[in-house]
Amino acid sequence: MHFKTELQQRTNEVQAIVEAYLPKETGHQKTIFESMNYSVMVGGKRLRPLLMQETYRLFGGKGREVEPFMAAMEMMHSASLVHDDLPAMDNDEYRRGKHTTWVEYGEDMAILAGDALMVYCFETALKAGAMTEHTDRVLRAASILAEKSGIYGMIGGQTVDVELTNKPIPREKLDFIYRLKTGALLEGSMLIGAVLAGASKAEEEKVLSIAQDVGLAFQIQDDILDVIGDQGVIGKPVHSDEKNNKTTYVTLEGLEQAKKEVGVLSERAIETLNSLPYENGFLTELIRMLVNREK
């Protein structure tokens, strides 16, 4: 099967899984359900749950306990985007070609929607405990989700990013921001997949290394697309980093060096993946696609 066809098929499968775990839009508080669901269903490539599922399969995982975690990770990622887009943060009105949550539902409801998704994602993830005998793996996976989302992960990275807005950022701090703000959820996705499938500690370390390289390459490519991308293709405003006076890999290293860095990181990630005694050709191609995407 052609990779793009297979990617679309598997993305559709992931989409159905994520959708199945979203709350029903009924009751007195249905506005929060509607805004949560809008935030998750507004679009997106479902990369994190897809990476989780494929890593789970790489290590021989065959059950369904990975599915609640796939949905949970997409909820956490969506929550971060809802908050990122707020007027107090990046003040973006469009994401994935549609109005951002605060534009559609108001700033107050967008804040609540982001908060609600962050809590509901753990309620969702822990449903995996009833789907496997390996409850120890479920607890460990939930711990990874919390760590990679919180003050030592995504939120920690966002904090430094916000504090340094309109200020020059040295390479060391930029690496830190990217590793936590963007990379942490990608790391968490792949690591959770490995843990739920019963990978060894040594194998987990390799997965972490792969995810770190992919996460950094992904964010650098995002910087590149902000400069040379087409809003009609990528679904969000371009030159927003320049507008917000943000330091990026492109502003620090230049466009050509940023492109070279993406290439080095992606090849290293593939080499590490190939060093594992398992094979998942789709995962290999998925990683290549992620870091060389045009949207």
Side-chain angles (χ1 to χ4, degrees):
M1 188 184 297
H2 192 275
F3 173 72
K4 286 188 176 179
T5 303
E6 189 173 5
L7 174 62
Q8 187 60 59
Q9 180 180 316
R10 297 197 190 196
T11 301
N12 290 343
E13 291 171 2
V14 170
Q15 175 79 4
I17 289 168
V18 171
E19 191 170 354
Y21 282 97
L22 291 175
K24 304 300 180 188
E25 298 177 0
T26 60
H28 291 299
Q29 77 276 45
K30 74 173 185 176
T31 305
I32 193 64
F33 300 148
E34 291 172 356
S35 57
M36 289 166 68
N37 293 351
Y38 177 85
S39 303
V40 176
M41 298 301 290
V42 73
K45 295 177 281 293
R46 309 305 182 205
L47 301 178
R48 288 152 192 82
L50 193 54
L51 282 169
M52 186 187 296
Q53 184 179 59
E54 294 307 320
T55 306
Y56 176 74
R57 289 173 173 172
L58 176 69
F59 292 101
K62 298 186 184 302
R64 295 189 61 195
E65 70 275 11
V66 70
E67 294 181 2
F69 277 97
M70 291 165 61
M73 185 61 76
E74 194 67 2
M75 291 173 193
M76 180 59 75
H77 172 56
S78 297
S80 75
L81 300 182
V82 172
H83 286 168
D84 261 357
D85 291 333
L86 288 168
M89 301 281 274
D90 288 346
N91 194 27
D92 280 327
E93 296 184 6
Y94 288 92
R95 179 168 295 275
R96 299 163 179 164
K98 297 182 181 179
H99 279 144
T100 49
T101 304
W102 74 267
V103 174
E104 195 72 15
Y105 286 91
E107 192 174 353
D108 50 1
M109 198 56 62
I111 292 170
L112 288 173
D115 292 346
L117 284 167
M118 287 183 173
V119 176
Y120 193 62
C121 86
F122 286 99
E123 183 178 337
T124 300
L126 289 169
K127 290 178 180 177
M131 303 168 73
T132 176
E133 295 178 355
H134 300 288
T135 52
D136 57 325
R137 296 178 186 174
V138 171
L139 291 175
R140 178 129 184 278
S143 177
I144 292 168
L145 176 59
E147 180 184 340
K148 296 299 183 181
S149 303
I151 55 176
Y152 299 108
M154 177 190 72
I155 291 175
Q158 287 177 317
T159 300
V160 179
D161 189 31
V162 168
E163 286 182 332
L164 293 175
T165 300
N166 296 321
K167 298 177 183 177
I169 304 176
R171 172 70 182 264
E172 177 189 356
K173 284 194 175 180
L174 190 64
D175 283 347
F176 178 87
I177 291 168
Y178 283 5
R179 185 168 58 83
L180 271 65
K181 184 180 177 182
T182 301
L185 291 190
L186 286 167
E187 291 172 21
S189 297
M190 296 188 74
L191 199 53
I192 287 169
V195 165
L196 290 176
S200 69
K201 291 292 183 184
E203 290 167 342
E204 286 179 20
E205 287 299 317
K206 286 197 173 187
V207 167
L208 191 57
S209 174
I210 294 165
Q212 287 172 343
D213 283 342
V214 170
L216 184 53
F218 184 89
Q219 183 57 55
I220 297 174
Q221 184 68 8
D222 210 48
D223 292 347
I224 293 169
L225 291 175
D226 190 75
V227 175
I228 66 173
D230 181 339
Q231 179 174 342
V233 175
I234 64 178
K236 62 180 180 180
V238 294
H239 304 296
S240 62
D241 292 330
E242 182 180 353
K243 179 191 74 177
N244 294 324
N245 295 316
K246 280 195 169 185
T247 300
T248 70
Y249 260 74
V250 174
T251 59
L252 280 181
E253 306 289 347
L255 187 60
E256 292 309 310
Q257 185 57 37
K259 289 179 179 179
K260 288 179 183 177
E261 189 79 7
V262 168
V264 169
L265 289 165
S266 60
E267 286 309 310
R268 190 167 67 192
I270 297 296
E271 285 177 15
T272 307
L273 179 60
N274 289 339
S275 73
L276 289 164
Y278 314 102
E279 188 175 340
N280 184 330
F282 178 80
L283 180 58
T284 301
E285 289 305 311
L286 178 61
I287 289 173
R288 290 191 191 280
M289 182 276 292
L290 292 186
V291 296
N292 294 302
R293 71 197 193 284
E294 295 182 357
K295 61 180 180 177

